[in-house]
Amino acid sequence: MMTEPDARHFLLVVDQFGELLTLASEDTRPQFQQMLLSLAEEPDYYVILTVRADICPNLMESHLWSQIQ
């Protein structure tokens, strides 16, 4: 794999993201979700969210769904 000598890529893994959807307060959720979306839009930044299968319906109801599918 060839890369630029000074290439920098950043990866953020948010394990158990479903906890935010089920346990966080209503006013905390949108702020954190917007921060993740903003970060993911930056060049060379990548965000991975892990969610248990039983939490997927909650994720699909969030405003994130249309932007992360």
Side-chain angles (χ1 to χ4, degrees):
M1 179 172 144
M2 298 183 69
T3 61
E4 298 174 31
D6 294 323
R8 296 189 191 259
H9 303 282
F10 300 93
L11 173 66
L12 173 65
V13 178
V14 181
D15 191 24
Q16 299 182 10
F17 179 73
E19 299 294 320
L20 176 74
L21 298 172
T22 58
L23 300 176
S25 67
E26 290 289 326
D27 54 323
T28 302
R29 289 179 207 161
Q31 295 170 347
F32 188 71
Q33 292 174 7
Q34 186 56 51
M35 186 262 326
L36 291 175
L37 289 172
S38 296
L39 184 61
E41 291 173 356
E42 291 295 319
D44 300 320
Y45 281 78
Y46 303 90
V47 178
I48 295 176
L49 308 175
T50 67
V51 180
R52 293 187 336 245
D54 62 322
I55 301 297
C56 284
N58 297 67
L59 179 58
M60 293 171 74
E61 292 174 3
S62 78
H63 80 278
L64 277 179
W65 185 246
S66 64
Q67 299 177 38
I68 66 170
Q69 321 180 40

